[in-house]
């Protein structure tokens, strides 16, 4: 039987992996990962990739196989021998570009491509033939036309293409893995939140389905609690199958309907990739063309202060520090820090997207871009530009006792929660009694929240020709 090449991309799992199942059915398999084509990954994600590849290697060994790390040139050399390649269709632009390059070089017949990373294989159009650009009608239509497919079980064994593997079996796998880890040890606390790899993904999903999914509608907005599933990094690296997630959710008795809040979150991911397929420029260009002329400010010092969690606005700084420490930020806080950047500081949303892409473990090319355009008010189904999150009222509502701010911004820990949310209003006598000096222990706010809000609205009016 002809040896089959199985190329993992951002689908580092054995369960419900269509490319793996198809390759195993046609002959001995050479599982490979391309180690020098990582342009779609941010700095934090190299940590995740290193651990995920190690976990995948261990899982493959249990099936009698082995994971090989190859260069792009080495993969091309194998295909030049006429060997078939099995690959789940990449969702990112880098992977899509490499597929096109291989098809151009070796012909389309050299690749067997499979849809295995989204529920919806193609963009969805309405009855007028136009693509959906608003989430609610899109997802309601998906629920009507999609019947969740049954996921594929992994094979019980995976015979190795030994003759091919012998060409590479002297590789130092661990040396490659170590080379992926950040040279600056800023990633040391990432493992406090996450356990990369398919087993870690399954454990995280099981824990959420057993303990968190029922209370998700109420707890998902509270950053001091673990009220969300925290599976998005696992989804980003394909350690979880979206079909398997849906199957397990429905098996618990939940309905395939719009009212299931957590299912809608999975639907948002589908909507993001629906838009990503249709609008290649979504990462850099606003989907609403009028925003191409928006009067953004250029303030490098403000951008740096935002990145470092030194804006002087506690809930914003708490979120940015959580991001740096753990490679993660609570979703509610992501909206708050995003709104502050693009509305109060009036800095370009692309700068926020780029920072998130680099620092988030779950930075997904479609979801991150669409989410930033939503916050900025310039994308598909975007929040209106005049909807500006007030970080103080957001903290009051969703972190009422100051637990989240106190954990992430320890210099404010001793202040009463009222002043912890807005220390610039702390009366001078109280400040003296608490031995707290604004501008010394904690920075002064970069901008006045009310004044900057009014300036943002004025800028928007000039763009739209209002008043």
């Amino acid at each position: 039987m002809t040896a089959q090449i199985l190329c993992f991309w951002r689908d580092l799992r054995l369960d419900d992996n269509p490319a793996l199942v198809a390759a195993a059915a046609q002959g001995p398999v050479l599982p490979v990962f391309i180690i020098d084509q990582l342009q779609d990954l941010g700095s934090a994600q190299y940590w995740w990739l290193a651990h995920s590849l190690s976990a995948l290697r261990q899982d493959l060994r249990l099936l009698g196989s082995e994971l090989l790390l190859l260069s792009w040139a080495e993969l091309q050399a194998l295909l030049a021998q006429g060997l078939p390649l099995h690959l789940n269709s990449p969702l990112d632009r880098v992977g899509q570009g490499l597929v096109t390059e291989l098809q151009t070089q070796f012909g389309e017949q050299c690749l067997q491509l499979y849809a295995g990373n989204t529920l919806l294989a193609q963009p969805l159009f309405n009855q007028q033939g136009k693509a959906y650009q608003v989430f609610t009608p899109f997802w309601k239509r998906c629920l009507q036309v999609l019947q969740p497919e049954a996921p594929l079980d992994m094979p019980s064994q995976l015979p190795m293409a030994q003759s091919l593997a012998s060409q590479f079996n002297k590789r130092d796998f661990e040396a490659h893995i170590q080379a992926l880890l950040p040279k600056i040890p800023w990633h040391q606390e990432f493992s406090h939140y996450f356990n990369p790899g398919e087993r870690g993904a399954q454990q995280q999903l099981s824990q959420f389905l057993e303990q968190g999914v029922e209370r998700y509608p109420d707890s998902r907005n509270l950053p001091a609690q673990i009220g969300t599933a925290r599976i998005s990094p696992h989804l980003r690296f394909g350690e979880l199958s979206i079909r398997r997630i849906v199957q397990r959710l429905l098996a618990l008795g939940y309905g395939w309907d719009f009212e299931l809040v957590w299912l809608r979150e999975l639907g948002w991911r589908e909507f993001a990739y629906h838009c990503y397929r249709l609008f290649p420029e979504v990462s850099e260009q606003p989907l609403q063309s009028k925003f191409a002329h928006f009067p953004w400010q250029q303030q490098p010092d403000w951008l740096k202060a935002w990145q470092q969690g030194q804006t002087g606005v506690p809930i914003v700084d708490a979120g940015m520090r959580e991001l740096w420490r753990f490679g993660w930020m609570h979703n509610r806080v992501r909206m708050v820090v995003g709104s502050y950047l693009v509305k109060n500081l009036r800095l370009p949303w692309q700068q926020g997207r780029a920072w998130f892409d680099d620092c988030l473990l779950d930075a997904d090319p479609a979801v991150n871009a669409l989410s930033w355009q939503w916050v900025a008010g310039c994308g598909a189904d975007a929040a209106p530009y005049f909807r500006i999150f007030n970080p103080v009222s957001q903290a009051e509502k969703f972190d009422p006792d100051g637990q989240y701010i106190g954990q992430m911004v320890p210099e404010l820990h001793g202040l009463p929660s009222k002043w912890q949310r807005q220390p610039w209003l702390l009366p001078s006598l109280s400040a003296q009694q608490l031995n707290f000096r604004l501008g010394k222990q904690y920075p002064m706010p970069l901008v006045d929240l009310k004044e900057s809000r009014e300036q943002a609205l004025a800028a928007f009016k000039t763009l739209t020709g209002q008043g």
Side-chain angles (χ1 to χ4, degrees):
M1 299 177 69
T2 304
Q4 311 290 309
I5 303 173
L6 169 65
C7 185
F8 289 95
W9 186 250
R10 311 297 176 250
D11 50 359
L12 305 180
R13 67 179 184 275
L14 304 183
D15 178 57
D16 191 32
N17 188 319
L20 182 151
V21 172
Q26 297 180 43
V29 177
L30 184 74
V32 304
F33 181 85
I34 308 306
I35 200 65
D36 60 352
Q37 298 294 324
L38 308 177
Q39 303 95 309
D40 62 308
L41 302 182
S43 299
Q45 293 182 326
Y46 280 73
W47 173 86
W48 191 287
L49 177 65
H51 291 281
S52 188
L53 288 175
S54 294
L56 179 61
R57 185 194 194 197
Q58 294 175 7
D59 292 341
L60 281 168
R61 284 180 166 180
L62 294 176
L63 298 182
S65 188
E66 182 69 50
L67 179 65
L68 300 178
L69 304 180
L70 303 188
S71 70
W72 177 240
E74 288 170 330
L75 177 64
Q76 290 175 303
L78 287 175
L79 294 183
Q81 301 176 31
L83 297 172
L85 174 66
H86 299 265
L87 175 68
N88 293 315
S89 296
L91 299 179
D92 61 279
R93 303 288 184 230
V94 174
Q96 292 167 357
L98 296 178
V99 165
T100 300
E101 183 178 338
L102 290 178
Q103 290 175 330
T104 300
Q105 185 175 359
F106 300 104
E108 292 190 8
Q109 70 280 359
C110 78
L111 268 76
Q112 299 295 318
L113 295 174
Y114 308 88
N117 294 310
T118 56
L119 296 173
L120 193 67
Q122 299 294 334
L124 191 63
F125 299 88
N126 61 23
Q127 293 179 347
Q128 288 73 43
K130 296 182 179 180
Y132 286 97
Q133 292 195 47
V134 178
F135 170 69
T136 296
F138 165 84
W139 186 233
K140 286 184 176 180
R141 182 61 176 161
C142 281
L143 293 171
Q144 291 175 353
V145 302
L146 276 177
Q147 291 300 321
E149 297 181 13
L152 303 170
D153 293 329
M154 73 176 72
S156 58
Q157 57 183 358
L158 191 66
M160 186 77 172
Q162 294 293 351
S163 59
L164 286 178
S166 63
Q167 303 176 33
F168 308 102
N169 61 9
K170 293 183 180 180
R171 295 288 176 81
D172 190 336
F173 184 94
E174 292 302 328
H176 279 293
I177 295 302
Q178 289 299 314
L180 291 174
L181 295 174
K183 301 301 183 288
I184 301 174
W186 64 295
H187 60 286
Q188 291 178 338
E189 294 188 85
F190 289 1
S191 59
H192 290 187
Y193 275 15
F194 298 107
N195 179 24
E198 186 171 6
R199 294 185 190 183
Q202 294 288 356
Q203 291 170 359
Q204 186 67 31
L205 176 62
S206 295
Q207 180 177 333
F208 176 72
L209 293 178
E210 293 167 5
Q211 303 175 13
V213 68
E214 284 192 9
R215 56 186 177 87
Y216 176 79
D218 297 321
S219 63
R220 64 182 179 136
N221 285 313
L222 305 176
Q225 298 182 16
I226 302 179
T228 60
R230 293 195 181 185
I231 62 169
S232 51
H234 298 292
L235 273 172
R236 168 65 177 106
F237 285 87
E239 298 169 350
L240 278 175
S241 153
I242 187 69
R243 296 188 300 195
R244 182 68 73 185
I245 294 171
V246 169
Q247 182 206 48
R248 293 191 60 183
L249 184 64
L250 298 183
L252 293 174
Y254 294 100
W256 179 245
D257 58 60
F258 188 81
E259 298 307 314
L260 184 53
V261 177
W262 191 58
L263 184 61
R264 285 206 302 270
E265 296 300 318
L266 301 178
W268 176 260
R269 177 179 181 269
E270 293 292 316
F271 182 61
Y273 274 102
H274 160 82
C275 295
Y276 192 67
R277 292 181 178 111
L278 293 169
F279 308 108
E281 71 284 357
V282 68
S283 294
E284 297 295 338
Q285 300 297 324
L287 294 182
Q288 297 184 35
S289 59
K290 65 184 180 182
F291 277 88
H293 307 289
F294 189 83
W296 299 110
Q297 299 189 106
Q298 297 298 328
Q299 295 282 358
D301 290 344
W302 287 5
L303 177 63
K304 184 177 181 180
W306 178 81
Q307 292 171 338
Q308 295 180 346
Q310 296 290 335
T311 68
V313 180
I315 188 68
V316 172
D317 293 340
M320 299 308 295
R321 296 184 193 187
E322 181 183 29
L323 171 63
W324 185 255
R325 284 181 59 187
F326 301 110
W328 169 263
M329 190 192 303
H330 187 276
N331 185 61
R332 166 61 57 173
V333 185
R334 294 188 197 197
M335 293 187 284
V336 174
V337 305
S339 177
Y340 180 80
L341 181 77
V342 300
K343 307 288 177 67
N344 296 101
L345 301 184
R346 232 167 69 237
L347 298 179
W349 62 269
Q350 295 92 334
Q351 294 180 349
R353 177 203 53 75
W355 187 249
F356 272 27
D357 274 345
D358 202 43
C359 298
L360 276 173
L361 292 170
D362 67 357
D364 179 290
V367 176
N368 198 29
L370 194 71
S371 297
W372 270 98
Q373 292 219 31
W374 183 89
V375 169
C378 62
D381 197 28
Y385 184 82
F386 52 79
R387 182 181 297 167
I388 300 176
F389 285 86
N390 183 310
V392 175
S393 60
Q394 289 285 309
E396 183 176 16
K397 185 175 182 180
F398 299 114
D399 188 34
D401 58 1
Q403 183 179 351
Y404 177 72
I405 291 176
Q407 178 185 2
M408 299 299 166
V409 190
E411 57 265 45
L412 299 177
H413 182 69
L415 299 185
S417 58
K418 177 180 180 180
W419 309 121
Q420 194 180 58
R421 293 189 286 269
Q422 44 189 345
W424 55 87
L425 295 183
L426 179 66
S428 57
L429 180 59
S430 298
Q432 292 176 8
Q433 293 172 341
L434 294 168
N435 195 27
F436 178 81
R437 291 181 59 187
L438 188 65
K440 185 174 182 181
Q441 284 103 322
Y442 184 69
M444 297 283 292
L446 295 176
V447 296
D448 180 89
L449 294 177
K450 181 179 179 181
E451 181 180 330
S452 60
R453 181 183 186 277
E454 293 172 350
Q455 291 173 348
L457 294 176
F460 179 66
K461 286 182 179 180
T462 64
L463 177 67
T464 59
Q466 299 177 22

